[in-house]
């Protein structure tokens, strides 16, 4: 492990779609080489190619030596090595492993390596992409291929100030299903798309073109290359906010912060932000908003995730002190009924949560039977079909994307509206939560009965009731001294 956490580090982001006949052998060679050169980071290897981010101290030549070696291999001669630097250690260790896909699609798209070249969108350089954005008209649709939390802290706008469409995804595995829904509407549109470094667009563009969308272009090198070419917002950059990166830096900004504008005024919500809505460190305009109070805020933290879907949530420090747990925009309707930690609620509160979730969860879905001798899904028969619970639809359904009345800004959607990408199974999560609530209610009732029937009160003497922590089993006083923290869940008091 690297000891000096303040030293400068060189980081490289890269990917390459190329056939690798024996991924396990490639992994063994790469792991040994990276270890020898003192490189840390993450390298994914599959039969379709490689994808990774690696780092090394700037004082070492290890990263450049690794790039030289890998570039000499057949199929890797033209990799776009995106180099950057940072002061914080990007990775604690090295991970090199074999994967089924170097960017996960859930295998739903059935794309092969050869499809990238045959069906992939037209690659636009940062300057060509910038020109297309500047001239975008009503027939242009700008799509952010990244996840919702990435889009929340930074995204492109057109020359007219319209924001990119983002499909409301928690993972790229949802994009193919979204394409299936929107492709018919895009066949006469000019589609521009982008992602962090370009790898997701390679498959995303194929998903559209294979469905008959002909005019699809993608930002070559992704946001990373665009920020290299257009680092200054005040000099014409159409990027707004921060670019999420998959290392310990979390997010990076353009090199030159913009001048303050009246529309960016916000309260001083956190250290590191001034009263004009700009990061006091090197950075860009704050485009993110706290999910609770909607003040401008763009700091993502692994400690602030949705209780239901585990997605990262933007919560300002002020609201973080007021909320018991956090819920993303898609699950705000469940923020009073769905919690991960249940032991510090009263019986009445637990029963109220259960009642609310019971309103959301529809009856068990229709049972499917297959006709005798059937071999395909077309022969599935539905028995006892029931309509979707209206409460579920109201609480979990996201507004359509592109509906200007549902947002603060307009969207570069070519005058169209789009459905949100399918979300993870909320019904299944709620059913599991109801079972957890039933168990928690039973525990709370047993504890209440035992406390009421105990003589001498809690810990009042020999034979008296001793309150114990439900997490560790120790007596409350011991637990409070040794395990003080937000995850301590003691029966006697709410922490």
């Amino acid at each position: 492990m690297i000891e000096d956490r303040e030293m400068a580090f060189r980081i490289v982001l890269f990917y390459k779609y190329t056939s690798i006949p024996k991924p396990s052998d490639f992994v063994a060679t790469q792991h040994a080489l990276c270890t020898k050169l003192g490189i840390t980071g993450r390298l994914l290897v599959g039969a379709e190619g490689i994808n990774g981010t690696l780092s090394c101290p700037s004082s070492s030549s290890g990263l450049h030596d690794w790039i030289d070696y890998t570039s000499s291999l057949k199929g890797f001669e033209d990799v776009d090595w995106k180099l950057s630097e940072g002061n914080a250690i990007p990775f604690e260790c090295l991970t090199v492993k074999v994967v089924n896909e170097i960017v996960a699609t859930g295998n739903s798209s059935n794309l092969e390596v050869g499809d990238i070249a045959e069906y992939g969108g037209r690659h636009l350089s940062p300057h060509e992409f910038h020109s297309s954005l500047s001239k975008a008209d009503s027939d242009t649709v700008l799509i952010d291929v990244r996840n919702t939390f990435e889009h929340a802290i930074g995204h492109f706008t057109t020359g007219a100030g319209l924001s990119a469409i983002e499909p409301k995804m928690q993972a790229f595995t949802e994009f193919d299903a979204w394409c299936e829904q929107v492709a018919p509407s895009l066949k006469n549109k000019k589609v521009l798309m982008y992602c962090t470094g370009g790898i997701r667009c390679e498959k995303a563009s194929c998903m559209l073109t294979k469905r008959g969308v002909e005019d699809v272009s993608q930002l070559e090198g992704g946001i990373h290359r665009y920020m290299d070419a257009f680092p200054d917002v005040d000099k014409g950059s159409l990027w707004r906010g921060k670019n999420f990166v998959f290392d310990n830096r979390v997010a990076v900004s353009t090199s030159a912060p913009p001048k303050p504008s009246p529309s960016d005024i916000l309260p001083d919500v956190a250290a590191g932000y001034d009263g004009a809505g700009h990061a006091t460190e090197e950075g860009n305009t704050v485009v993110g908003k706290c999910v609770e109070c909607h003040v401008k805020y763009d700091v993502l933290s692994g400690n602030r995730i949705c209780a239901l879907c585990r997605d990262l949530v933007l919560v300002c420090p002020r609201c973080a002190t007021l909320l018991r747990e956090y819920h993303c925009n898609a699950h705000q309707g469940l923020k009073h009924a769905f919690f991960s930690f249940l032991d510090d609620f009263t019986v009445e509160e637990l029963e109220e949560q259960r009642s609310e979730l019971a309103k959301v969860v529809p009856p068990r879905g229709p049972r499917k039977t297959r006709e005798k001798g059937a071999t395909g899904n077309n022969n599935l028969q539905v028995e006892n079909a029931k309509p979707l619970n209206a409460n579920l639809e109201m609480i979990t359904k996201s507004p359509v994307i592109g509906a200007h009345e549902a947002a603060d800004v307009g969207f570069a959607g070519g005058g169209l509206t789009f459905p949100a990408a399918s979300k993870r199974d909320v019904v299944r999560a709620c059913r599991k939560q109801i079972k957890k609530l039933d168990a928690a209610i039973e525990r709370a009732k047993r504890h209440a009965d035992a406390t009421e029937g105990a003589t001498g009160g809690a810990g009042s003497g020999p034979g008296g009731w001793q309150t114990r922590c439900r997490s560790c089993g120790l007596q409350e006083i011991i637990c409070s001294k040794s395990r003080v923290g937000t995850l301590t869940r003691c029966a006697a008091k709410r922490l």
Side-chain angles (χ1 to χ4, degrees):
M1 182 181 293
I2 301 171
E3 298 296 335
D4 187 356
R5 305 183 69 88
E6 299 300 323
M7 66 195 304
F9 289 86
R10 186 171 288 113
I11 304 128
V12 62
L13 171 69
F14 57 92
Y15 73 89
K16 178 63 178 180
Y17 283 103
T18 186
S19 179
I20 300 180
K22 297 181 179 179
S24 57
D25 291 348
F26 192 93
V27 163
T29 301
Q30 288 292 326
H31 192 281
L33 179 61
C34 289
T35 302
K36 178 182 178 181
L37 295 175
I39 292 173
T40 59
R42 181 175 55 252
L43 174 59
L44 306 180
V45 181
E48 63 182 6
I50 63 172
N51 174 25
T53 307
L54 299 176
S55 69
C56 192
S58 297
S59 58
S60 169
S61 64
L63 200 58
H64 283 295
D65 292 341
W66 179 85
I67 291 174
D68 289 341
Y69 168 78
T70 306
S71 298
S72 69
L73 301 177
K74 183 179 179 180
F76 295 92
E77 300 89 350
D78 57 349
V79 176
D80 180 14
W81 307 106
K82 305 172 187 72
L83 289 165
S84 59
E85 291 197 352
N87 291 322
I89 178 171
F91 297 97
E92 300 286 349
C93 60
L94 172 68
T95 300
V96 185
K97 64 180 181 179
V98 176
V99 293
N100 293 328
E101 296 180 282
I102 59 174
V103 59
T105 65
N107 293 313
S108 59
S109 58
N110 297 314
L111 291 173
E112 303 291 341
V113 177
D115 292 338
I116 303 296
E118 183 176 355
Y119 295 101
R122 185 165 67 98
H123 286 224
L124 299 180
S125 70
H127 285 86
E128 290 173 327
F129 189 81
H130 179 85
S131 177
S132 295
L133 282 185
S134 300
K135 301 174 183 177
D137 56 21
S138 59
D139 287 327
T140 301
V141 176
L142 176 61
I143 302 175
D144 189 337
V145 181
R146 303 171 304 152
N147 300 330
T148 294
F149 68 87
E150 297 175 75
H151 178 89
I153 64 171
H155 47 259
F156 279 108
T157 61
T158 67
L162 300 178
S163 179
I165 295 293
E166 67 100 5
K168 306 293 183 185
M169 297 186 295
Q170 292 171 331
F172 186 60
T173 52
E174 299 172 352
F175 191 77
D176 189 56
W178 185 75
C179 287
E180 184 69 30
Q181 299 178 70
V182 304
S185 301
L186 298 177
K187 290 184 177 180
N188 296 318
K189 297 293 183 179
K190 177 181 180 180
V191 177
L192 301 175
M193 61 171 56
Y194 66 90
C195 61
T196 306
I199 187 170
R200 282 176 278 190
C201 283
E202 300 284 13
K203 288 190 175 182
S205 60
C206 289
M207 293 174 190
L208 284 178
T209 58
K210 291 185 76 171
R211 291 180 168 94
V213 184
E214 296 181 356
D215 193 351
V216 180
S217 300
Q218 62 196 70
L219 173 57
E220 187 172 37
I223 301 164
H224 191 291
R225 284 297 183 210
Y226 183 92
M227 291 174 71
D228 287 343
F230 296 91
D232 195 337
V233 173
D234 287 334
K235 293 183 179 179
S237 173
L238 294 173
W239 173 258
R240 300 290 182 267
K242 295 178 179 177
N243 180 27
F244 182 88
V245 293
F246 295 88
D247 59 59
N248 290 342
R249 293 174 297 170
V250 183
V252 295
S253 304
T254 54
S255 61
K259 296 176 181 179
S261 65
S263 62
D264 288 330
I265 302 299
L266 83 161
D268 182 15
V269 298
Y273 287 82
D274 62 22
H278 302 285
T280 55
E281 59 189 45
E282 182 180 294
N284 203 343
T285 304
V286 178
V287 301
K289 292 183 179 181
C290 171
V291 71
E292 187 69 16
C293 68
H294 308 297
V295 72
K296 288 191 175 183
Y297 186 73
D298 64 0
V299 180
L300 291 168
S301 170
N303 294 325
R304 297 171 189 171
I305 59 176
C306 179
L308 193 148
C309 67
R310 320 310 290 173
D311 214 4
L312 291 170
V313 183
L314 282 175
V315 182
C316 73
R318 181 182 299 157
C319 290
T321 63
L322 302 175
L323 297 174
R324 186 189 296 268
E325 293 185 28
Y326 314 117
H327 297 78
C328 68
N329 275 317
H331 300 128
Q332 280 292 294
L334 296 171
K335 69 179 182 179
H336 299 302
F338 198 110
F339 298 92
S340 298
F341 299 104
L342 302 176
D343 285 345
D344 54 348
F345 287 101
T346 65
V347 173
E348 292 76 15
E349 289 170 330
L350 293 171
E351 289 177 338
E352 184 178 351
Q353 291 173 31
R354 193 194 188 289
S355 175
E356 289 301 311
L357 291 183
K359 297 176 184 177
V360 172
V361 176
R364 283 287 182 180
R367 183 165 61 91
K368 296 178 181 180
T369 60
R370 192 180 300 276
E371 290 182 348
K372 292 183 178 180
T375 57
N377 288 334
N378 290 335
N379 292 306
L380 288 177
Q381 303 298 314
V382 178
E383 297 180 0
N384 303 321
K386 297 179 181 179
L388 179 68
N389 188 310
N391 290 308
L392 173 69
E393 194 165 337
M394 176 186 68
I395 291 178
T396 62
K397 184 178 180 181
S398 300
V400 291
I401 307 164
H404 293 201
E405 65 274 13
D408 296 332
V409 296
F411 292 89
L416 303 174
T417 57
F418 302 95
S422 59
K423 291 294 178 182
R424 294 173 186 172
D425 196 340
V426 176
V427 174
R428 181 184 303 173
C430 288
R431 284 200 175 109
K432 289 183 177 180
Q433 184 71 4
I434 287 176
K435 291 181 179 179
K436 287 178 60 178
L437 284 166
D438 288 339
I441 291 170
E442 183 63 27
R443 287 197 307 270
K445 287 181 176 179
R446 284 202 307 267
H447 173 68
D449 292 342
T451 302
E452 184 177 351
T455 58
S460 61
W465 176 258
Q466 297 290 334
T467 303
R468 295 181 179 275
C469 173
R470 290 196 180 114
S471 296
C472 66
L474 297 175
Q475 292 182 18
E476 178 203 353
I477 189 170
I478 299 174
C479 179
S480 297
K481 289 181 179 179
S482 62
R483 294 170 61 95
V484 173
T486 58
L487 296 184
T488 303
R489 295 289 183 263
C490 287
K493 59 185 179 181
R494 298 170 62 172
L495 299 178

